[in-house]
Amino acid sequence: MAAAALLLAAMLGAEPPSQYLPALGKIHARSLEGRLSFLASDALEGRGTPSRGLDIAAEYIASEFRRAGLEPAGDNGYFQTAKWLMLRPVRSGLLVRLDREGESVTLAPGRVDAGLAGALHLDNAPVIYFDAAAPDSWGELSADAVAGKVVAVSGIARIYGLPAAERGPAIRSYYMLKDFLARARPLVVLRADYGTPAPSGEEMLIDPESVPTILAPEAREFFTRLRSRSAGITLSLNVPAPEARPVQLRNVAALFKGADPELSKSYVLLSAHYDHLGMKPDGDGDRIYNGADDDGSGVVSVLEIASALARSGIHTRRSILFIAYYGEELGMLGSGYYSRHPLVPLEQTVANINIEQVGRTDDPIQPRINEATFTGFDYSTLVPVFAEAGRLTGIKVVPYQDPASSEPAGDPFFVRSDNLALAARGVVAHTVSVALEFPDYHRVSDEWQKVNYSNMARVDRMIALGTLWIADSETAPRWNLSNPATIPYRR
Ligand SMILES: [Zn+2]
């Protein structure tokens, strides 16, 4: 019905359809400001994953869903609980040795972080090597090929040095590789160049369901010399049992039940991430990463739209699931977890609209007043629905353009937020944003006082209207088959 709705809208002129006004009229700048001034306050200490501030934020989000009268959609009320571990790796007795044709490299234990929930001992286990920056060299990813083997991955850092046009596809391929490994379950993954291992004694957060991973940047040399000639490599390993303590991480989810007997079994997912970077460990002055725009703005938009809808008396045909994720800043942990443990069937999830950074308009490229963008702008039939919603609510929905580049700038960002976890499983999933870049990005100065709330309210009305249209439409959004960039995401 999207097409029919658009036609109808065009016939009615530049006004949102009257049946949706009771919801759109309940979205207010003042309410958004009130919500965000708490969520991004210093009291929540930057909402690091995991932290007490993050837990308080989760309780706040749940309390707002409860207040709106939405149905709890988690395993424990509004919470989807993930049981993770904080590990303190033990380095005495740690051994990591790589062998190939008489060449042997033993890594310094102080430069290795073993993210293993228990002890592990391997003698000359066969290694399969993937150069993350060269997906063409991978061959077919088959679970049989990696079962019972060690998988070594390097080249991750090189991805970020690629020219812009190649970077997006390379990040996507790397995400797909990680997603494949999470399901194929090799013995262990050796990450041979990512980041700097924490100094001895620092804790690591791991998902005990995930593939055991060893961070070993010093092994990079060894693999760089090999390039794709990985035959004959073996790994010998001795990892002592770590000290581990359980931590609970929670996505927060609420359901707005559809009214149509059939279509209500399908879902539109409206999401944002409620975590941010936590606090600087020391130093003078402000140490709190408030994350007001990133992504407090997305979370309060989800809350504002959810409560507006719940109080409007409107019934949609499809159901709408509202969700706030943890751990985006650590590598999309909460959305990745959700994609492995969906609360409603992914096959029945017709669209995901993920909201990121909709509060700030002071983009250094150009001011973004009454303007919003969707990442992967021409990847699906979803974006035109929102462009029309924008026309009726005073928001121009545009491809994100950096004047310095000829590339559509929204494309590399498609793989940089929580929509990716859903897109990787075939769901038509985009991120909507006002300014993909803003001056205080990932700085302690990303404060709630700097947000343009009246603009944000208009943007949220656009998001709400597009979401309602999709929820009432018989036709589900589809990937754009004529754009090869969507091939990895088609079901
Ligand atoms: Zn973010």
Side-chain angles (χ1 to χ4, degrees):
M1 196 201 74
L6 296 185
L7 192 66
L8 190 67
M11 278 158 45
L12 293 173
E15 276 282 307
S18 57
Q19 75 266 31
Y20 295 138
L21 293 178
L24 303 187
K26 288 186 173 59
I27 294 170
H28 297 298
R30 183 65 63 82
S31 171
L32 289 163
E33 184 173 7
R35 294 176 192 281
L36 192 56
S37 64
F38 174 70
L39 192 64
S41 66
D42 284 356
L44 272 61
E45 299 186 333
R47 310 185 304 280
T49 302
S51 68
R52 186 169 155 74
L54 188 77
D55 287 343
I56 295 170
E59 293 292 345
Y60 166 67
I61 295 161
S63 77
E64 290 293 301
F65 285 151
R66 193 174 293 120
R67 176 168 183 255
L70 290 154
E71 201 175 293
D75 52 77
N76 175 20
Y78 295 101
F79 301 118
Q80 178 183 40
T81 318
K83 294 187 187 312
W84 291 42
L85 293 172
M86 282 302 266
L87 298 184
R88 198 179 288 280
V90 171
R91 287 203 168 108
S92 93
L94 177 68
L95 171 87
V96 183
R97 197 187 71 229
L98 289 155
D99 289 282
R100 182 176 178 270
E101 291 172 1
E103 184 186 358
S104 183
V105 175
T106 301
L107 304 178
R111 295 276 295 149
V112 171
D113 267 317
L116 274 61
L120 183 65
H121 186 90
L122 299 175
D123 287 311
N124 297 310
V127 174
I128 297 191
Y129 169 61
F130 293 96
D131 181 349
D136 291 346
S137 68
W138 298 350
E140 204 194 322
L141 298 177
S142 97
D144 285 349
V146 299
K149 302 213 172 81
V150 173
V151 166
V153 185
S154 80
I156 302 153
R158 255 178 39 238
I159 292 176
Y160 293 89
L162 292 171
E166 291 165 43
R167 201 183 310 136
I171 293 173
R172 181 191 63 218
S173 299
Y174 176 54
Y175 184 89
M176 296 294 193
L177 177 64
K178 282 201 298 183
D179 193 54
F180 159 74
L181 293 173
R183 284 175 291 142
R185 307 207 60 81
L187 216 45
V188 67
V189 171
L190 186 77
R191 284 207 334 206
D193 73 353
Y194 199 83
T196 315
S200 187
E202 200 148 292
E203 289 187 309
M204 299 170 72
L205 176 66
I206 69 149
D207 175 0
E209 287 176 2
S210 69
V211 186
T213 299
I214 294 175
L215 305 181
E218 288 193 343
R220 169 196 193 161
E221 277 285 292
F222 181 85
F223 289 103
T224 307
R225 270 183 282 121
L226 294 174
R227 292 287 170 184
S228 56
R229 295 169 296 109
S230 70
I233 308 172
T234 62
L235 176 72
S236 297
L237 193 65
N238 189 65
V239 178
E243 292 167 38
R245 68 180 168 93
V247 287
Q248 259 194 146
L249 298 174
R250 297 181 296 179
N251 291 326
V252 194
L255 188 67
F256 182 76
K257 261 257 171 72
D260 185 275
E262 277 312 306
L263 284 180
S264 62
K265 294 172 204 152
S266 67
Y267 302 86
V268 181
L269 183 60
L270 203 63
S271 60
H273 71 90
Y274 74 94
D275 68 300
H276 195 56
L277 300 168
M279 287 178 71
K280 290 184 186 173
D282 43 43
D284 294 330
D286 189 359
R287 289 163 46 209
I288 300 170
Y289 293 99
N290 302 79
D293 198 33
D294 182 11
D295 185 26
S297 68
V299 172
V300 300
S301 297
V302 167
L303 292 177
E304 189 76 8
I305 295 168
S307 18
L309 188 54
R311 291 180 295 130
S312 68
I314 289 177
H315 296 285
T316 55
R317 302 179 72 194
R318 298 184 195 276
S319 301
I320 303 174
L321 185 70
F322 299 97
I323 190 161
Y325 298 122
Y326 63 85
E328 192 271 351
E329 304 289 2
L330 298 181
M332 307 175 206
L333 302 183
S335 56
Y337 183 88
Y338 179 84
S339 75
R340 296 190 299 277
H341 305 275
L343 295 168
V344 299
L346 290 180
E347 309 73 56
Q348 297 296 111
T349 304
V350 299
N352 172 212
I353 300 101
N354 181 58
I355 312 176
E356 272 258 19
Q357 297 174 207
V358 288
R360 293 286 287 265
T361 54
D362 52 339
D363 186 328
I365 298 170
Q366 59 181 77
R368 310 273 178 185
I369 306 277
N370 294 334
E371 194 180 295
T373 193
F374 281 72
T375 62
F377 197 80
D378 59 352
Y379 285 12
S380 83
T381 59
L382 180 143
V383 181
V385 175
F386 285 85
E388 180 57 18
R391 197 179 69 79
L392 302 183
T393 51
I395 297 295
K396 237 187 182 158
V397 175
V398 295
Y400 199 77
Q401 202 63 51
D402 176 349
S405 144
S406 56
E407 298 297 319
D411 283 15
F413 286 94
F414 184 81
V415 298
R416 284 180 47 185
S417 190
D418 288 313
N419 64 293
L420 180 61
L422 280 291
R425 295 298 165 93
V427 177
V428 173
H430 295 258
T431 289
V432 55
S433 185
V434 168
L436 289 165
E437 301 182 78
F438 65 99
D440 299 301
Y441 175 77
H442 282 199
R443 293 172 191 265
V444 295
S445 45
D446 179 8
E447 311 262 9
W448 65 268
Q449 291 90 342
K450 298 181 180 175
V451 161
N452 182 336
Y453 292 98
S454 52
N455 192 73
M456 186 165 154
R458 288 191 295 275
V459 169
D460 284 350
R461 286 182 205 114
M462 176 274 288
I463 297 170
L465 178 56
T467 302
L468 287 165
W469 262 339
I470 291 171
D472 274 340
S473 168
E474 225 142 86
T475 318
R478 295 181 316 276
W479 292 112
N480 176 0
L481 301 185
S482 66
N483 186 340
T486 66
I487 290 172
Y489 310 121
R490 299 178 200 161
R491 273 198 247 261

